[in-house]
């Protein structure tokens, strides 16, 4: 059975910067949860950041640029948390490898987990195209990375991988 690495907040765990979760509803997700496919992980907490914590955004690029050393992750009060984000991304990759997960469903918009959009680094609520640090590393290492908005595509890939 294919396992799926999942952002912990999508399972309702209260790990977000504001102490909340972002649970996903729906039959597909519930079915995967009930089957034991889902492997929860929060890169920011795994990387050593507390709950709650100051909001952070990538400044100077996206998660790929952070991996390449050309962008940084800063909090809204200017603290550089890049190393914690990189540590969390590496631990997410370790977790995927240990569990055998080749697929990840990550929370859209997060500076760690976003796979299509992230906030633009100005802390003004504007988003831009790009990926978060963990999403970028997992994609670079060959995982299939999706957001919570892509569940039918995940189902199609599962059917293909398990046929
Ligand atoms: S780092 Fe990812 S898993 Fe953790 S709270 Fe943010 S979006 Fe959710």
């Amino acid at each position: 059975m294919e396992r799926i690495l999942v952002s912990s907040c999508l399972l309702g765990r209260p790990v977000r910067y504001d102490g909340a979760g972002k649970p996903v509803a729906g039959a597909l997700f519930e079915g995967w949860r009930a089957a034991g496919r889902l492997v929860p992980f929060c890169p920011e907490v795994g990387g050593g950041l507390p709950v709650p914590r100051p909001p952070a955004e990538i400044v100077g690029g996206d998660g790929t640029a952070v991996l390449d050393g050309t962008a940084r992750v800063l909090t809204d009060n200017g603290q550089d948390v890049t190393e914690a984000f990189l540590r969390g991304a590496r631990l997410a990759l370790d977790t995927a490898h240990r569990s055998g997960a080749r697929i990840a469903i990550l929370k859209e918009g997060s500076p760690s987990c976003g796979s299509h959009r992230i906030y633009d680094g100005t802390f003004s609520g504007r988003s831009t195209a790009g990926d978060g640090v963990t999403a970028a590393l997992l994609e670079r290492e060959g995982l299939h990375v999706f957001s919570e908005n892509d569940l039918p595509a995940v189902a199609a890939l599962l059917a293909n991988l398990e046929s």
Side-chain angles (χ1 to χ4, degrees), residues 7-9 15-17 41-44 53 107 110 112-113:
S7 295
S8 295
C9 58
V15 291
R16 280 165 49 93
Y17 74 94
F41 189 77
C42 173
E44 291 176 24
R53 55 189 173 275
K107 174 75 186 74
S110 152
S112 288
C113 293

Side-chain angles (χ1 to χ4, degrees), residues 44-129:
E44 291 176 24
V45 171
L49 296 172
V51 180
R53 55 189 173 275
E57 296 189 7
I58 300 173
V59 177
D62 66 358
T64 299
V66 173
L67 296 180
D68 292 339
T70 59
R72 308 293 292 173
V73 189
L74 303 180
T75 67
D76 61 349
N77 56 15
Q79 184 188 359
D80 189 325
V81 288
T82 305
E83 290 309 315
F85 273 63
L86 287 169
R87 191 180 317 121
R90 287 192 291 268
L91 290 170
L93 181 63
D94 289 347
T95 301
H97 285 161
R98 276 202 309 277
S99 64
R102 295 186 288 172
I103 299 171
I105 301 173
L106 303 181
K107 174 75 186 74
E108 191 60 278
S110 152
S112 288
C113 293
S115 54
H116 303 94
R117 298 199 69 77
I118 55 171
Y119 288 97
D120 70 357
T122 63
F123 296 93
S124 59
R126 284 195 299 267
S127 67
T128 186

